[in-house]
Amino acid sequence: MREYLNQTFWGNTYLAYLIAAAGILVAWIIVRLVKKYAVKKLQQLVSSTDNQYDDMVIEGVEKFVIPYIYLFVNYNIITHLSLHPRLANILRVAITVITLYYAVRLVNHILGAMLKGFMERRQETPERIRQLRGVMIVLKAIVWFLGIVLLLDNLGYDVATIIAGMGIGGIAIALAAQTILGDLFSYFVIFFDKPFEIGDFVNADGKIGTVEYIGIKTTRIRSITGEQVIMSNTKLTNTALHNFKRMERRRIAFSIGVTYQTTAEKLKQIPGIIEKAIKAQSIAAFDRSHLSAFGDFSINFETVYFIETPDYLAFMNAQQEIYQAIFEAFEKEGIDFAYPTQTLFLERASQDTGAKTTE
């Protein structure tokens, strides 16, 4: 048996291959035990704390550090064998790529967790936190680019020449993709300046609806008629946008007209009737009510009041109650609303005297 194990195959004895396989198996068993017991125990300990960073560390260790350590141990076990130079070089390149892969993913994981924790400490809304996906796409792309440059440098390539070539190509790409880059920068403006957020009710260039999604290039608005309106971020940042969700109070102005047969005493009562109807609503703040004009067929009153909530349904309910109260009060006082009418005066000449008589 010893003689068989000492036989050589591809520059190594069978015993060396057996030891290497046993080392890989032992490493796999240790990794499984660590993940099953040690990591789970740590997860149970940190789950009871309010600190988000210990959760981030444990998750990073489980997803990236432990798998990389296992692969790195296997690499060292294999490289202790006598390998062909080409195979050894392939393994060296492979472990370099693997190192880059796990390092970049770990950095992206840390960046994402830190940004999320920062926004949670600022008590940002869940919708705002979901917007981090767009920011993270850009950050991940930058980290991957830096990682690939570092990988090429470790593999012996002239990074300076590559970057210079990419710079020239980048200018050409930027010129060809000005619209896309403009939308990308507008996305960052929307994210950091916060002119609107997901869930806001807005009027953007005549498109009225609720913001459903804010992406890197476009924003999607669910219109009040049901369809989804997709608008570029650049257009949204370049147009006047009305954000009704941030309305603190709503100003309402309306006019009513009464007939010219209304007595002067009744005319004096009308502003008080309107004021009483408005003040009866808890969310309404009366501003003014005046006789504003003598119209062609009516005496007009102009009224202004405020609704102390941005809720449109609450506004409509209050307005309905106000109008009904005014109508009931006018009916009780015998005040008639005016509507377009004309009075026709006819004249005829007297047959005997030639005088005109008006009918």
Side-chain angles (χ1 to χ4, degrees), residues 56-180:
M56 175 192 71
V57 171
I58 296 300
E59 187 178 359
V61 168
E62 182 181 11
K63 285 186 175 181
F64 310 114
V65 177
I66 293 179
Y68 174 73
I69 290 176
Y70 175 65
L71 293 174
F72 186 75
V73 169
N74 289 342
Y75 168 76
N76 280 279
I77 291 173
I78 294 172
T79 53
H80 275 82
L81 299 173
S82 178
L83 303 175
H84 189 277
R86 181 174 295 178
L87 179 59
N89 186 58
I90 292 173
L91 290 175
R92 182 184 65 82
V93 172
I95 196 62
T96 304
V97 173
I98 290 171
T99 302
L100 165 74
Y101 172 77
Y102 279 104
V104 169
R105 290 196 63 191
L106 180 61
V107 170
N108 286 332
H109 172 74
I110 293 172
L111 285 175
M114 291 180 65
L115 284 174
K116 183 179 179 181
F118 174 74
M119 295 190 72
E120 287 177 346
R121 287 197 305 273
R122 293 185 60 185
Q123 297 182 344
E124 297 281 1
T125 61
E127 291 78 13
R128 283 275 298 164
I129 295 176
R130 283 199 295 270
Q131 280 185 254
L132 276 175
R133 289 179 294 183
V135 176
M136 285 306 303
I137 289 174
V138 177
L139 289 178
K140 286 179 180 180
I142 294 173
V143 174
W144 275 107
F145 172 76
L146 295 176
I148 291 172
V149 170
L150 183 62
L151 172 65
L152 295 175
D153 184 59
N154 279 282
L155 294 178
Y157 293 94
D158 188 356
V159 177
T161 304
I162 295 174
I163 293 177
M166 292 180 66
I168 297 172
I171 294 174
I173 294 173
L175 291 174
Q178 292 182 59
T179 302
I180 296 175

Side-chain angles (χ1 to χ4, degrees), residues 21-74:
I24 293 173
L25 179 61
V26 170
W28 180 80
I29 293 173
I30 292 174
V31 167
R32 296 293 297 177
L33 291 175
V34 168
K35 291 183 69 174
K36 185 174 182 179
Y37 296 104
V39 174
K40 284 191 175 181
K41 185 65 176 178
L42 289 174
Q43 286 176 338
Q44 292 174 357
L45 291 175
V46 302
S47 62
S48 59
T49 65
D50 296 330
N51 191 348
Q52 299 291 330
Y53 293 105
D54 49 12
D55 296 330
M56 175 192 71
V57 171
I58 296 300
E59 187 178 359
V61 168
E62 182 181 11
K63 285 186 175 181
F64 310 114
V65 177
I66 293 179
Y68 174 73
I69 290 176
Y70 175 65
L71 293 174
F72 186 75
V73 169
N74 289 342

Side-chain angles (χ1 to χ4, degrees), residues 268-342:
K268 293 179 181 179
Q269 295 177 13
I270 289 175
I273 292 172
I274 296 175
E275 180 179 357
K276 182 180 178 181
I278 293 173
K279 288 185 175 180
Q281 303 301 314
S282 60
I283 61 172
F286 176 79
D287 184 37
R288 62 180 178 84
S289 182
H290 295 94
L291 192 157
S292 60
F294 292 101
D296 294 335
F297 54 84
S298 64
I299 301 173
N300 298 325
F301 287 82
E302 183 180 77
T303 302
V304 175
Y305 69 97
F306 295 92
I307 294 294
E308 304 292 348
T309 174
D311 189 342
Y312 187 76
L313 181 60
F315 153 63
M316 289 300 296
N317 289 335
Q319 180 175 260
Q320 176 178 257
E321 294 296 328
I322 291 169
Y323 286 172
Q324 288 178 345
I326 293 172
F327 191 90
E328 291 172 1
F330 277 23
E331 187 178 50
K332 181 179 179 181
E333 296 294 334
I335 301 173
D336 295 324
F337 288 97
Y339 52 88
T341 57
Q342 288 185 341

